[in-house]
Amino acid sequence: MKPIITLASVVLALASVTAQAADPIVIKFSHVVTEDTPKGSGAALFKRLVEERLPGQVVVEVYPNSTLLRDADELEALRRNEVQLLAPSLANFQKYTKQLQVFDLPFLFDDQDSVDRFQKRAKGKQLLRSMESSGIIGLAFWHNGLKQLSATRPLRRPNDAAGLTFRIQQSSVIEAQFAQIGATSRMLPFSEVYGALQSGTVKGAENPWSNIYSKKLHTLQPYITESNHGVLDYMLVSNSAFWFSLPHSIRVVLEGIVDEVTYSVNQQAEALNKAERDRVRQSGTSEIITLTAEEREAWRNAMRPVWKQFEAEIGADIVKAAETVNRKQQGH
Ligand code: LMR
């Protein structure tokens, strides 16, 4: 059944806005990563700029590191207007739209610049409005980075992963990706990844460098394959009833701040991931496996059937639009 905006959530949203005549509007921004990651620093910058430019009118409370909500609970809390801003990874939205699953298709994008191009084009931008019927409005795409495969044994060829269990986000595409190479997967909240790797419940994972380093996952994963096989980016989202009932003069300032913070996050994410990769290497805990072009192509070919499997539900036009942003396709 399609999720609907309940009357209660609209009333709550309106109440929190009308209360601002006397009290500042409170925006609760919850996320699951540490503060020194692209998303963590974006949330902190958003808070600083809002409080500088709308003093006494808007207060931002940031709850990092799953201190308020686990990723699995975030979006329903947003729909109840218990929090007003989130930036879940794009893998977390499949309950509300199948279209965003395009970002989970393995090896679809050549690099982060291609992802960026897609997000800025019309087909990408329209995805920000893909969850309006569920009361969720997308404000921007924020980058983290491309995911790397990590495990207790070296993964150089696709069949090296056979029989291993990987921790995954709430995504059927990612589940199919691992099934495709003979591995199994477990959907777990981000806050449980370290514990699951430590206890051996799962043997592998897939994360961008900043999430690996900031959560010390490398200390539990002796091998990390620099696979760059999938995207871990975010959509900054709000409760649409809350967002559109903000006084116009305030919303305009907030939208300007969102643009500024988005620019800053997206400018810095890649450099931050490179720096964290170096820190992982320097820590000496894990061997970093670099794939040759042929080896990467073998992984890509092994996982390509997953594109076909999900093309109809994502929309062939969206998959095609994403595919054509790659450098190779553009003849660069
Ligand atoms: C994950 O669960 O791996 C990511 O969604 C965490 C994050 O928000 O970067």
Side-chain angles (χ1 to χ4, degrees):
M1 205 177 71
K2 265 203 146 185
I4 48 160
I5 311 174
T6 62
L7 181 62
S9 72
V10 175
V11 170
L12 273 173
L14 288 173
S16 67
V17 171
T18 45
Q20 64 94 32
D23 303 318
I25 297 166
V26 177
I27 296 182
K28 293 189 179 180
F29 188 161
S30 176
H31 67 79
V32 299
V33 289
T34 63
E35 288 171 290
D36 47 3
T37 55
K39 177 162 59 180
S41 60
L45 178 61
F46 179 80
K47 175 180 167 67
R48 183 163 68 72
L49 295 181
V50 170
E51 295 184 357
E52 269 170 29
R53 294 181 199 168
L54 295 166
Q57 297 181 78
V58 181
V59 171
V60 180
E61 295 174 3
V62 178
Y63 298 90
N65 225 353
S66 310
T67 44
L68 186 64
L69 293 164
R70 301 174 327 155
D71 29 16
D73 306 320
E74 284 185 332
L75 283 159
E76 283 306 300
L78 183 87
R79 295 180 70 227
R80 291 190 301 268
N81 200 40
E82 290 164 11
V83 290
Q84 290 70 36
L85 270 189
L86 299 171
S89 126
L90 295 166
N92 282 295
F93 292 102
Q94 72 177 33
K95 188 169 159 199
Y96 311 100
T97 176
K98 301 292 182 208
Q99 297 181 346
L100 288 171
Q101 295 186 123
V102 68
F103 290 103
D104 291 338
L105 293 178
F107 294 97
L108 180 63
F109 295 99
D110 281 349
D111 49 29
Q112 189 68 46
D113 286 349
S114 307
V115 178
D116 191 68
R117 274 197 293 277
F118 174 63
Q119 291 170 349
K120 287 183 174 146
R121 289 197 181 165
K123 273 272 185 262
K125 277 204 274 199
Q126 86 189 22
L127 298 176
L128 295 172
R129 316 296 296 244
S130 61
M131 296 176 286
E132 283 186 338
S133 62
S134 301
I136 298 170
I137 175 80
L139 305 175
F141 288 108
W142 281 6
H143 297 332
N144 184 338
L146 297 178
K147 293 179 290 185
Q148 319 303 337
L149 285 167
S150 63
T152 48
R153 66 178 192 233
L155 305 177
R156 192 169 278 287
R157 285 166 298 272
N159 58 7
D160 291 338
L164 288 180
T165 303
F166 288 80
R167 176 271 168 173
I168 61 166
Q169 304 176 79
Q170 311 279 318
S171 159
S172 308
V173 173
I174 300 176
E175 192 173 33
Q177 161 195 291
F178 282 112
Q180 194 60 36
I181 52 173
T184 50
S185 50
R186 274 189 75 165
M187 291 182 186
L188 290 173
F190 189 58
S191 54
E192 289 175 26
V193 182
Y194 186 91
L197 287 171
Q198 193 176 38
S199 68
T201 317
V202 298
K203 303 286 187 203
E206 45 155 36
N207 288 283
W209 291 109
S210 70
N211 283 7
I212 294 174
Y213 188 76
S214 61
K215 285 291 189 181
K216 302 187 173 53
L217 304 181
H218 57 294
T219 62
L220 302 167
Q221 297 275 264
Y223 300 97
I224 305 178
T225 302
E226 197 158 22
S227 50
N228 289 317
H229 64 281
V231 180
L232 200 149
D233 272 8
Y234 306 109
M235 191 186 284
L236 182 70
V237 289
S238 187
N239 174 309
S240 7
F242 167 79
W243 192 254
F244 290 115
S245 54
L246 286 168
H248 184 254
S249 58
I250 288 185
R251 198 170 72 236
V252 167
V253 178
L254 291 176
E255 281 166 356
I257 293 171
V258 165
D259 286 350
E260 217 171 305
V261 176
T262 299
Y263 182 79
S264 161
V265 169
N266 291 354
Q267 281 287 103
Q268 289 166 24
E270 200 158 6
L272 200 138
N273 272 286
K274 280 203 182 99
E276 303 292 54
R277 178 198 185 278
D278 290 346
R279 289 193 183 101
V280 169
R281 191 173 44 77
Q282 280 154 18
S283 77
T285 56
S286 322
E287 182 185 331
I288 298 180
I289 298 169
T290 310
L291 299 176
T292 64
E294 291 73 31
E295 284 166 343
R296 192 167 192 280
E297 203 49 30
W299 281 90
R300 191 167 196 259
N301 288 338
M303 290 185 177
R304 224 185 152 102
V306 179
W307 301 11
K308 267 273 152 282
Q309 189 181 334
F310 286 90
E311 186 179 87
E313 65 183 61
I314 294 170
D317 56 327
I318 295 173
V319 178
K320 183 83 198 145
E323 232 186 309
T324 51
V325 295
N326 285 325
R327 270 173 219 287
K328 265 184 288 184
Q329 305 274 347
Q330 299 199 336
H332 284 250

